[in-house]
């Protein structure tokens, strides 16, 4: 593994190895405490973040590495003076061993990788992809379901702008006998390119307009926030599909409820007590999955 740009790049075997390394790091975290000694990782975020930036930074520190950072690169880096992303990357790559990049442009990570002399890790690119999020999502599913073959997964909410959904469905397509239910308003449907991708990979994709269309025994419900920050210059107003206790009564005790977070009101706080709600565990797993990725990229197998 060198750059992490899109979930297109992964093979099933990559996930098997990543999950095994993540298990090992979780079980023996201190043994990896000097793995990145002498390495510097830059975290450069042009969009806000809590989980991705802080879990990457915690991962770097837990591996014994050092961080250089700008958390609000859009306003606090020389981007505000008109410097291009590519010039910024050409400069920062001389200071560090890898760059974790979040940007509002869907092509930013791929473009940065074209000019960077160090690995680029895509930490969210516009409404395109968020591959490290979906790797931690897949790991979470693996921990709860033991196997990703044969799963049914309902992705809910903003399937148009939701980059975590775009990356997750690509990863799910690596597995056998997958059914994906896409529950959204008509204006926020999964883009045609992803539907086509899934069909080409033999995934059954079923668009839905209500929770009633999702089977009782669906394995995973993956709720998402409507990405209203992407609605600039439109008059789009979209009501959420809210998951509350009443909605959860329609699903099996074995169904798990995930969310990449942050949430607003699309999962009612009362659901947090439900044993099927695993979203905080999911975000905790994120640090370990990111430790594995950094180890893989900067130390090797
Ligand atoms: N899930 C996720 O990407 O969260 P942040 O925006 O807080 O990083």
């Amino acid at each position: 593994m060198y750059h992490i740009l899109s979930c297109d790049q992964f093979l099933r075997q990559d996930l098997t190895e990543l999950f095994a390394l993540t298990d090992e790091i979780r079980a023996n975290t201190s043994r990896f405490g000097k793995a990145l000694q002498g390495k510097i990782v830059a975290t450069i975020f042009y969009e806000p973040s809590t989980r991705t930036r802080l879990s990457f930074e915690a991962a770097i520190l837990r591996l014994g590495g050092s961080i250089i950072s700008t958390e609000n690169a859009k306003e606090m880096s020389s981007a505000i003076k008109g410097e291009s992303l590519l010039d910024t990357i050409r400069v920062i790559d001389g200071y560090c061993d890898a760059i974790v990049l979040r940007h509002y442009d869907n092509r930013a990570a791929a473009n940065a990788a074209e000019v960077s002399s160090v690995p680029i890790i895509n930490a969210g690119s516009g409404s395109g992809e968020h591959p490290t999020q979906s790797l931690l999502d897949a790991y979470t599913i693996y921990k709860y379901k033991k196997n990703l073959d044969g799963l049914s997964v309902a992705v809910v909410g903003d399937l148009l702008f939701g980059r975590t959904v775009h990356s997750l469905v690509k990863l799910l397509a690596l597995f056998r006998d997958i059914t994906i239910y896409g529950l959204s308003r008509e204006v926020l449907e999964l883009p045609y390119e992803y539907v086509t991708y899934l069909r080409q990979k033999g995934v059954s994709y079923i668009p839905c307009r209500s929770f009633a269309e999702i089977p009782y025994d669906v394995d995973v419900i993956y709720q998402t926030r409507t990405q209203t920050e992407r609605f600039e210059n439109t008059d789009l107003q979209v009501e959420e599909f809210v998951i509350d206790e009443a909605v959860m009564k329609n699903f099996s005790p074995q169904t798990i409820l995930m969310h990449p977070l942050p949430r607003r009101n699309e999962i009612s706080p009362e659901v947090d007590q439900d044993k099927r709600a695993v979203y905080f565990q999911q975000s905790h797993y994120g640090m370990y999955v990111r430790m594995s990725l950094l180890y893989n990229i900067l130390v090797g197998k």
Side-chain angles (χ1 to χ4, degrees), residues 89-250:
I89 295 294
R90 286 183 183 109
V91 171
I92 295 174
D93 72 359
Y95 305 154
C96 65
D97 299 287
I99 297 173
V100 180
L101 176 68
R102 171 169 289 189
H103 201 278
Y104 47 83
D105 180 346
N106 292 18
R107 291 278 313 154
N111 291 340
E114 295 277 323
V115 302
S116 179
S117 63
V118 300
I120 297 290
I121 302 174
N122 180 358
S125 49
S127 60
E129 283 208 46
H130 193 347
T132 70
Q133 174 70 45
S134 61
L135 290 167
L136 78 88
D137 295 339
Y139 178 76
T140 304
I141 296 172
Y142 163 70
K143 292 317 288 179
Y144 282 93
K145 298 292 173 185
K146 311 294 177 213
N147 189 349
L148 279 78
D149 288 319
L151 287 183
S152 56
V153 177
V155 290
V156 181
D158 186 348
L159 312 185
L160 175 63
F161 296 116
R163 59 195 176 195
T164 68
V165 169
H166 301 164
S167 287
L168 180 60
V169 298
K170 284 186 174 178
L171 284 192
L172 291 171
L174 294 172
F175 296 87
R176 286 188 288 276
D177 192 20
I178 298 290
T179 303
I180 299 179
Y181 298 88
L183 171 55
S184 71
R185 306 291 176 204
E186 191 175 355
V187 290
L188 294 182
E189 279 184 344
L190 191 66
Y192 181 71
E193 68 184 275
Y194 293 96
V195 176
T196 306
Y197 184 95
L198 292 175
R199 300 230 157 104
Q200 283 170 350
K201 301 278 179 184
V203 173
S204 172
Y205 181 72
I206 303 169
C208 304
R209 290 282 178 265
S210 76
F211 283 113
E213 294 169 68
I214 300 173
Y216 170 80
D217 60 353
V218 70
D219 292 298
V220 179
I221 301 172
Y222 188 90
Q223 173 67 303
T224 63
R225 176 179 66 87
T226 303
Q227 308 279 298
T228 44
E229 66 270 34
R230 313 260 177 239
F231 289 17
E232 277 170 26
N233 307 322
T234 78
D235 52 8
L236 211 51
Q237 298 288 327
V238 180
E239 195 189 328
E240 310 276 9
F241 286 96
V242 175
I243 297 181
D244 56 15
E245 278 180 332
V247 169
M248 288 304 288
K249 284 198 173 99
N250 297 317

Side-chain angles (χ1 to χ4, degrees), residues 265-284:
N265 60 355
E266 65 276 6
I267 297 179
S268 302
E270 71 213 22
V271 175
D272 298 354
Q273 311 311 318
D274 190 315
K275 287 194 169 51
R276 296 169 292 175
V278 305
Y279 29 87
F280 292 114
Q281 182 63 53
Q282 177 187 348
S283 73
H284 293 155

Side-chain angles (χ1 to χ4, degrees), residues 48-53 102 130 133 164 260-262:
S49 170
T50 296
R51 275 145 293 275
T52 311
R53 188 170 74 87
R102 171 169 289 189
H130 193 347
Q133 174 70 45
T164 68
L261 304 177

